[in-house]
Amino acid sequence: YVAAKLNLADLLADGPRSSGDLAAASGTQPAALYRLLRALASLGIFAEDEQGRFGLTPLAQPLRQGVPGSLRATVLFHGDPITQGVWGELLHTLKTGENGYQRLYGMNAWAYREQHLDYGALFDNFMTEVTMLDVDTVVAAYDFSRIATLVDIAGGHGSLIAAILKANPTLHGILFDQPHVVSGAQPILEAAGVLDRCQQVGGDFFAELPANGDAYLLKSIVHDWDDADSIRILKNVRRAIQPDGKLLLVEFVIPPGNDPHPGKLPDINMLVSLGGR
């Protein structure tokens, strides 16, 4: 998190630099920064050469901004003191069932991010970033060409629907999310060349959804909520969708057994931060 916050990977984009040089560029103390870089290098993030200069490694590349596979926004969100404070309530959550945002702030995560837009922007950038990791797989996994109108529910800044529309030139889309979130989608839709085929609608999926779509897509949405709220969302999809429409869910499905799985730690994040599963 500190390396990302200081933009150290970006400062090394043109080649290795000494810790003193990096300290001057990042506003840090040279000796202290050297110790951080040395520790990160021991984990394969950055590497020190014989001249005492530090350079990028494959594990450091994702800390850069705007490069394919960047995870910088993910690191900044999860390392942020607010997120860390919520995770610090895990013991309380295990004992009481109350999630960390409710415990600390008396409101759910969505309300907190809406009231604290800088932190909300961290979350939106994180979600855009992790969605980009899944885009190619989702686009290839389903035949969207049979659909006239696709509604992406809580689709954030639109990176997924932009990719689907780009791959399916006859498809029209509706991007639906909270007004303050969907307002940030235009640059992504414009860059993909699909702005003219994607309507942007702000609202609350617990109240009402855009009607008469042929397919409704929910990526990483149902897992945010408990069973009762998930059913409320799905009932609203049922009311809005065409009679023969399709509901498309993109979610982790955790298999049995002890093997590592990319859904197991996010499941704990749902527990402690949202009350989801």
Side-chain angles (χ1 to χ4, degrees):
Y1 169 75
V2 171
K5 193 79 172 173
L6 294 173
N7 295 313
L8 296 181
D10 287 321
L11 292 173
L12 294 172
D14 294 329
R17 300 171 70 173
S18 69
S19 57
D21 189 14
L22 288 169
S26 61
T28 56
Q29 297 182 357
L33 183 62
Y34 174 79
R35 293 163 66 183
L36 175 70
L37 289 165
R38 179 176 62 184
L40 288 170
S42 74
L43 301 173
I45 302 171
F46 307 119
E48 184 179 9
D49 64 19
E50 294 178 353
Q51 297 171 276
R53 301 177 307 171
F54 287 88
L56 293 173
T57 59
L59 283 180
Q61 283 285 354
L63 292 178
R64 294 179 59 194
Q65 301 181 64
V67 298
S70 175
L71 292 171
R72 182 175 182 271
T74 302
V75 170
L76 289 178
F77 176 74
H78 285 95
D80 188 87
I82 294 170
T83 308
Q84 290 291 304
V86 169
W87 265 83
E89 297 301 320
L90 180 57
L91 181 60
H92 173 80
T93 298
L94 290 173
K95 289 189 171 186
T96 67
E98 183 183 38
N99 72 65
Y101 283 96
Q102 289 289 350
R103 160 82 161 171
L104 293 174
Y105 306 114
M107 65 185 77
N108 67 27
W110 312 105
Y112 183 84
R113 289 194 284 262
E114 187 173 5
Q115 292 182 23
H116 300 82
L117 293 180
D118 287 347
Y119 184 63
L122 279 180
F123 175 79
D124 293 337
N125 292 337
F126 151 57
M127 288 306 301
T128 295
E129 197 170 79
V130 295
T131 296
M132 291 306 298
L133 301 177
D134 299 328
V135 158
D136 291 344
T137 301
V138 174
V139 170
Y142 191 78
D143 183 6
F144 293 95
S145 66
R146 297 175 294 174
I147 298 168
T149 301
L150 173 68
V151 185
D152 187 359
I153 302 300
H157 287 167
S159 53
L160 179 56
I161 198 169
I164 294 170
L165 292 173
K166 187 173 183 179
N168 296 272
T170 63
L171 181 63
H172 285 78
I174 298 174
L175 175 64
F176 180 85
D177 211 314
Q178 293 174 287
H180 71 280
V181 176
V182 79
S183 64
Q186 184 166 333
I188 288 175
L189 298 172
E190 204 163 26
V194 300
L195 185 60
D196 60 333
R197 289 191 285 127
C198 190
Q199 182 183 358
Q200 299 147 71
V201 179
D204 175 2
F205 55 32
F206 288 120
E208 187 177 16
L209 296 174
N212 299 318
D214 301 296
Y216 285 68
L217 173 66
L218 292 88
K219 179 190 181 297
S220 303
I221 304 304
V222 174
H223 75 220
D224 288 343
W225 306 93
D226 62 21
D227 287 354
D229 282 336
S230 296
I231 290 169
R232 288 173 62 200
I233 297 166
L234 295 175
K235 282 183 174 180
N236 282 342
V237 174
R238 176 68 270 179
R239 293 186 188 98
I241 200 170
Q242 294 276 21
D244 60 348
K246 302 292 184 182
L247 170 65
L248 308 176
L249 301 180
V250 182
E251 289 286 356
F252 284 122
V253 179
I254 302 177
N258 299 312
D259 292 338
H261 186 273
K264 290 182 178 179
L265 284 176
D267 178 53
I268 303 304
N269 188 38
M270 294 304 102
L271 175 70
V272 72
S273 63
L274 299 176
R277 180 185 296 265

